[in-house]
């Protein structure tokens, strides 16, 4: 049985109750194992065994919502609420103004004016507000209730009461004496109008949360210039396959991930790598889809199709993250499940009580309770913040795979860091040269000439350093290699021996003048080679895996965030401590075998620590999986990246402080959203029911209640959007 993944665009959702009902409908389809619905993106992600898309679409439609297979990027609908809002505003605004400005328009109190209000308000309630009735009936079919139920009941109650007052005024007290009963047409149109306005503003602000995915998708060019023996042709970028060769001219974007095979360009990778300056790309260099060529033309051999490019994978990761919910969202989910039925009960109780206290305002109180209680803000509190945070994270070089990792990352208090490749460059580099005579460059040129054809990592470090300094190397003559000891060759007629002290001694050379420097460098964790030229000791070269330039700055920032930092290394203790001292780390666990790293993680968690493990290799995968949060760096292997919940797309751990600070800021925002959403309803419902009437005679009109309800959801989204401007400040907690 094959596991199927389906993404659906869902239309008509308005609150947390809608999310629960759609998820319930989808999980009821045979074969579905999980269904996650996001109120912000209006999308559902469904997984299951051999599930047909048609069955999912039908289940959503039976639940009273619209559904279709998702586009690559989904945006909340703006057009439909906007058109309905325009109609409601044009027709309903005169009714609203006339109803609120009592006596300002005497003709509206005439029988003809009241009939006109009835007709106009009817068009607004049942025309512009039709979506609320469709949603309410859909909920009713499933024996549940949601925001649509509250809006539909409130608006139809106000309109129906007023319609009876116009059509049959004699059924009301004093109506038989010619006294016209009060009408609430302004409340009916205000309810529909303000809720539509809230939906429209909400949709517009929610669209900003999807900018990260949209901009990433937009980076990928639509066409590419493919190179064939018969000539160059323009083809769709999505048709490129690994092995194809494409040409990238100055000013063009790279159409797919690949490797430069000819030419030289200057490429702007800032969006993907955070590199502030364009980077020179020569044969052998990797390039990414979406990066822009600022230099000369070059050709690229495609290594990944457009759908599997780095940009496409980042966009997919962000979209998937935005469709997930943080564990804290369960609070809102549980409340939403009971909220609407409780509100209906309170509204009915309010109606009954006011019928005895003051019958003329009983309907007002009933409608006000229904309207102000709509749980829009509650449903948006968590997903809006998660969407904003994960989108901003992608812009800052941090990919967070959903709400759960985001919440856990915010709680981390201990960070375990793999040394090799994570804190360090991951390959040996020349660190010191001690030349007894002739100068450093002269000694380096001789040693690099001897080692130029060797594949040993130490040799590669020496040769690389010589090339960086622009030294001209000679071809070695009579190369002799003794494994584990050293290498000898003739350079310019002089014998050059490179290796251990014993290797030099075996050739009758006294290394005594080099021993002190060799021991000193070895104590610092360096790998040391001794050099003799012409039968005499000439100098010492040391290589080491040096810390990344960005590691020290990042670690200082993490320390200011009050995190316990621990370096894990498989190296011997002296080497690990040497690197740790350069980075300012005080806690080091050295000599750790790959399988032991996961045990270290478990031990830290056993003592009550919340652990983030940061690594890059296959050997880090078990520890990444065992941690509360696994963090992979940009150069991580596919296995490590797949195991981790967070991926840093920029150099080393440079964006790790940003990731943790962003997660903490997101959780603060979620708590703020939930607090104000709860407070709004806890305080608003009693006021709408008339709790303050006995003290000061103050009541909340349905008009004000509908405006407050709409603005509450917009305020939650706007508060979440503050995360789009997030920057990591020093010492942020």
């Amino acid at each position: 049985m094959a596991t199927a993944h389906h993404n659906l665009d869902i239309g008509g959702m308005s609150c947390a109750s809608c999310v629960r009902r759609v998820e319930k409908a989808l999980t009821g389809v045979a074969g579905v194992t999980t269904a996650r619905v996001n109120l912000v993106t209006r999308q559902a992600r469904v997984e299951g065994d051999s599930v047909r898309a048609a069955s999912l679409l039908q289940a959503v439609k039976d639940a009273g919502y619209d559904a279709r297979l998702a586009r690559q990027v989904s945006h909340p609908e703006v057009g439909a609420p906007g058109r309905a809002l325009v109609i409601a505003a044009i027709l309903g605004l005169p009714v609203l103004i006339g109803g609120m400005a009592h006596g300002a328009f005497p003709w509206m109190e005439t029988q003809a004016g009241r009939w006109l209000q009835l007709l106009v308000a009817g068009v607004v309630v049942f025309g512009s507000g039709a979506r609320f009735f469709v949603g309410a009936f859909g909920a009713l079919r499933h024996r549940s209730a949601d925001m649509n139920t509250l809006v539909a009941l409130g608006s139809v109650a106000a309109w129906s009461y007023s319609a009876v007052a116009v059509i049959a005024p004699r059924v009301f007290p004093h109506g038989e004496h010619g006294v016209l009963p009060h009408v609430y047409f302004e409340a009916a149109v205000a309810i529909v109008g303000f809720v539509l306005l809230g939906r429209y503003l909400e949709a517009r602000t929610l669209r900003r949360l999807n900018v990260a995915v949209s901009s990433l998708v937009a980076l990928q060019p639509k066409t590419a210039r493919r190179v064939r023996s018969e000539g160059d042709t323009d083809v769709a970028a999505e048709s490129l396959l690994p092995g194809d060769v494409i040409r990238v001219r100055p000013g063009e974007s790279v159409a797919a991930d690949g490797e430069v095979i000819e030419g030289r360009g200057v490429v702007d990778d800032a969006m993907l790598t955070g590199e502030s300056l364009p980077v020179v790309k020569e044969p052998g260099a990797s390039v990414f889809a979406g990066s822009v060529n600022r230099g000369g033309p070059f050709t690229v051999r495609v290594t990944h199709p457009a759908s599997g490019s780095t940009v496409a994978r980042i966009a997919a990761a962000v979209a998937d993250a935005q469709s997930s919910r943080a564990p804290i969202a369960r609070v809102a989910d549980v409340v939403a499940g009971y909220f609407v039925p409780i509100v209906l009960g309170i509204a009915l109780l309010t109606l009954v009580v006011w019928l005895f206290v003051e019958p003329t305002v009983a309907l007002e109180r009933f409608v006000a309770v229904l309207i102000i209680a709509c749980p829009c803000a509650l449903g948006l509190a968590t997903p809006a913040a998660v969407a904003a945070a994960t989108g901003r994270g992608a812009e800052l070089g941090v990919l967070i795979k959903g709400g759960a990792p985001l919440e856990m990352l915010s709680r981390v208090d201990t960070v375990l860091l793999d040394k090799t490749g994570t804190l360090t460059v991951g390959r040996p580099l020349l660190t010191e040269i001690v030349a007894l005579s002739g100068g450093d460059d002269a000694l380096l040129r001789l040693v690099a000439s001897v080692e130029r054809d060797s594949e040993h990592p130490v040799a590669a470090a020496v040769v690389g350093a010589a090339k960086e300094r622009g030294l001209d190397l000679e071809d070695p003559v009579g190369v002799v290699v003794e494994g584990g000891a050293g290498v000898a060759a003739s350079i310019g007629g002089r014998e050059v021996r490179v290796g251990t002290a014993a290797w030099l001694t075996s050739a009758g050379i006294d290394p005594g003048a080099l021993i002190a420097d060799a021991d000193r460098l070895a104590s610092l964790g360096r790998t040391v080679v001794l050099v003799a030229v012409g039968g005499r000791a000439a100098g010492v070269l040391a290589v080491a895996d040096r810390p990344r330039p960005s590691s020290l700055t990042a670690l200082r920032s993490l320390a200011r965030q009050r995190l316990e930092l621990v370096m894990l290394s498989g190296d011997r203790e002296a080497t690990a401590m040497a690197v740790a001292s350069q980075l300012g780390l005080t806690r080091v666990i050295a000599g750790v075998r790959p399988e032991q790293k996961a045990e270290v993680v478990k031990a830290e968690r056993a003592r009550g620590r919340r652990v983030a493990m940061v690594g890059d290799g296959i050997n880090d995968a078990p520890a990444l999986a065992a941690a509360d949060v696994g963090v992979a760096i940009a150069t991580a292997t596919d296995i490590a990246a797949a195991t981790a919940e967070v991926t840093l797309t920029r150099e080393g751990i440079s964006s790790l402080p940003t990731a943790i600070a962003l997660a903490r800021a997101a959780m603060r925002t979620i708590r703020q959203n939930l607090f104000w959403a709860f407070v709004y309803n806890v305080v608003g419902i009693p006021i709408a029911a008339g709790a303050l009437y006995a003290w000061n005679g103050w009541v909340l009109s349905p008009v004000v209640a509908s405006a407050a309800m709409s603005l509450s959801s917009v305020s939650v989204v706007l508060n979440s959007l503050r995360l789009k401007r997030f920057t990591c400040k020093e010492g942020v907690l």
Side-chain angles (χ1 to χ4, degrees):
M1 299 279 280
T3 300
H5 302 268
H6 296 285
N7 289 325
L8 308 178
D9 284 332
I10 310 295
M13 293 193 302
S14 57
C15 65
S17 298
C18 300
V19 171
R20 290 172 61 85
R21 190 156 71 248
V22 174
E23 286 182 341
K24 183 177 180 181
L26 289 171
T27 53
V29 176
V32 172
T33 54
T34 61
R36 295 181 301 174
V37 179
N38 189 285
L39 186 60
V40 171
T41 59
R42 302 310 202 254
Q43 284 196 339
R45 179 174 175 81
V46 184
E47 298 179 4
D49 296 326
S50 301
V51 179
R52 296 176 61 242
S55 301
L56 300 175
L57 297 176
Q58 189 59 49
V60 175
K61 291 177 181 177
D62 290 344
Y65 300 91
D66 298 325
R68 63 181 176 182
L69 292 178
R71 300 182 295 273
Q72 191 169 14
V73 179
S74 178
H75 294 296
E77 55 182 1
V78 174
R83 289 188 295 271
L85 175 61
V86 170
I87 295 172
I90 293 174
L91 296 178
L93 199 57
V95 175
L96 177 62
I97 294 174
M100 296 181 68
H102 298 290
F105 303 98
W107 67 270
M108 294 186 68
E109 298 300 323
T110 66
Q111 192 65 21
R114 291 160 70 92
W115 273 98
L116 182 60
Q117 290 182 68
L118 184 150
L119 295 175
V120 171
V123 173
V124 172
V125 171
F126 299 105
S128 297
R131 64 184 57 239
F132 304 123
F133 293 96
V134 172
F137 282 123
L140 184 61
R141 287 203 309 271
H142 290 81
R143 289 174 293 182
S144 63
D146 59 14
M147 173 188 166
N148 292 306
T149 306
L150 301 180
V151 175
L153 278 176
S155 59
V156 80
W159 185 88
S160 300
Y161 175 92
S162 303
V164 174
V166 172
I167 298 170
R170 293 181 178 276
V171 302
F172 292 88
H174 310 296
E176 65 273 13
H177 302 297
V179 178
L180 296 178
H182 186 68
V183 293
Y184 296 98
F185 290 122
E186 78 281 0
V189 298
I191 291 168
V192 173
F194 279 122
V195 174
L196 286 174
L197 176 62
R199 291 272 185 95
Y200 176 75
L201 294 175
E202 179 185 303
R204 288 196 53 152
T205 50
L206 286 175
R207 287 174 73 93
R208 293 174 57 191
L209 298 178
N210 291 322
V211 169
V213 180
S214 303
S215 59
L216 286 168
V217 172
L219 276 177
Q220 302 180 86
K222 299 294 186 286
T223 61
R225 181 168 290 271
R226 186 164 56 192
V227 179
R228 293 284 177 87
S229 57
E230 60 271 19
D232 296 359
T233 55
D234 289 333
V235 299
E238 61 185 18
S239 68
L240 294 174
L241 298 173
D244 284 344
V245 176
I246 58 175
R247 193 182 310 280
V248 184
R249 294 173 296 190
E252 293 182 339
S253 295
V254 180
D257 289 2
E259 179 183 329
V260 177
I261 59 174
E262 184 180 343
R264 184 176 186 272
V266 181
V267 175
D268 184 355
D269 283 335
M271 182 67 182
L272 291 173
T273 65
E275 183 70 41
S276 58
L277 297 175
V279 180
V280 175
K281 298 290 185 178
E282 297 178 321
S286 297
V287 290
F288 304 104
S291 54
V292 180
N293 181 14
R294 306 294 187 190
F298 56 87
T299 55
V300 175
R301 179 180 290 109
V302 175
T303 55
H304 295 87
S307 60
S309 69
T310 302
V311 170
R313 285 186 280 114
I314 291 175
V318 175
D320 187 55
Q322 292 185 344
S323 71
S324 70
R325 292 201 298 275
I328 196 172
R330 286 195 290 267
V331 176
D333 290 344
V334 172
V335 171
Y338 300 98
F339 188 78
V340 176
I342 291 174
V343 168
L344 289 174
I346 294 174
L348 289 172
L349 178 62
T350 300
L351 177 64
V352 172
V353 171
W354 278 96
L355 284 174
F356 287 100
V357 176
E358 185 64 50
T360 58
V361 297
L363 181 65
E364 272 194 7
R365 302 298 95 237
F366 172 75
V367 172
V369 170
L370 289 177
I371 298 307
I372 204 166
C374 290
C376 310
L378 193 62
L380 289 168
T382 298
V386 170
T390 52
R392 180 58 175 159
E395 297 170 354
L396 296 174
V398 180
L399 290 182
I400 303 173
K401 298 179 181 178
L406 182 73
E407 181 172 342
M408 185 51 67
L409 187 61
S410 73
R411 298 177 177 177
V412 162
D413 53 27
T414 302
V415 180
L416 305 182
L417 301 123
D418 172 57
K419 178 182 78 69
T420 304
T422 300
L423 293 175
T424 65
V425 175
R427 65 181 187 279
L429 297 172
L430 183 67
T431 56
E432 289 93 6
I433 302 175
V434 179
L436 298 185
S437 63
D440 292 353
D441 283 358
L443 182 64
L444 177 60
R445 189 182 70 82
L446 290 174
V447 176
S449 296
V450 172
E451 301 274 22
R452 66 182 304 175
D453 295 325
S454 173
E455 296 182 356
H456 193 280
V458 173
V462 172
V463 174
K467 290 182 178 179
E468 287 180 3
R469 299 189 184 195
L471 303 179
D472 294 326
L473 305 184
E474 297 184 34
D475 292 329
V477 177
V479 178
V480 177
V481 179
E482 184 170 327
V487 59
S490 177
I491 304 294
R494 293 185 294 174
E495 183 191 51
V496 179
R497 298 179 73 88
V498 182
T500 64
W503 168 248
L504 269 59
T505 301
S506 67
I509 300 171
D510 180 12
L514 307 177
I515 296 301
D517 286 318
D519 289 345
R520 175 179 59 83
L521 293 172
S523 69
L524 296 176
R526 311 287 196 263
T527 297
V528 180
V529 293
L530 282 65
V531 184
V533 179
R536 300 181 61 180
V540 177
L541 272 66
V543 300
D545 182 10
R546 292 189 298 194
R548 294 178 184 269
S550 60
S551 293
L552 181 58
T553 302
L555 290 172
R556 286 174 176 170
S557 182
L558 291 170
R560 281 190 289 269
Q561 293 180 26
R562 300 180 184 176
L563 294 163
E564 183 177 354
L565 305 176
V566 185
M567 187 178 80
L568 301 183
S569 175
D571 289 335
R572 57 193 178 92
E573 187 170 358
T575 301
M577 290 302 298
V579 173
S581 65
Q582 296 178 63
L583 294 173
L585 292 171
T586 58
R587 189 176 173 203
V588 178
I589 302 178
V592 182
R593 295 192 303 273
E595 64 272 18
Q596 292 177 320
K597 290 183 179 180
E599 297 302 320
V600 173
V601 172
K602 293 175 183 177
E604 290 296 316
R605 294 185 66 186
R607 70 185 187 97
R609 309 298 290 179
R610 296 188 179 96
V611 179
M613 172 67 198
V614 187
D616 72 321
I618 293 175
N619 61 341
D620 296 320
L624 292 172
D628 293 294
V629 182
V631 181
I633 66 171
T635 54
T637 62
D638 289 343
I639 292 176
T643 305
E645 291 91 1
V646 178
T647 301
L648 310 178
T649 63
R650 297 180 180 175
E651 196 259 341
I653 63 168
S654 59
S655 52
L656 181 59
T658 298
I660 294 175
L662 174 62
R664 292 177 175 179
M667 290 311 299
R668 285 196 300 271
T669 300
I670 290 173
R671 292 189 186 99
Q672 290 167 3
N673 288 348
L674 288 172
F675 173 79
W676 289 112
F678 280 122
V679 167
Y680 164 80
N681 284 299
V682 169
V683 173
I685 291 175
I687 293 176
L692 299 180
Y693 183 77
W695 282 271
N696 55 17
W698 194 81
V699 292
L700 190 67
S701 74
V703 175
V704 176
S706 59
M709 182 275 297
S710 298
L711 291 175
S712 67
S713 59
V714 174
S715 66
V716 163
V717 178
L718 290 176
N719 187 46
S720 300
L721 280 172
R722 293 188 303 115
L723 291 168
K724 297 293 288 181
R725 300 191 300 273
F726 171 84
T727 54
C728 183
K729 298 178 181 178
E730 294 295 335
V732 67
L733 297 180

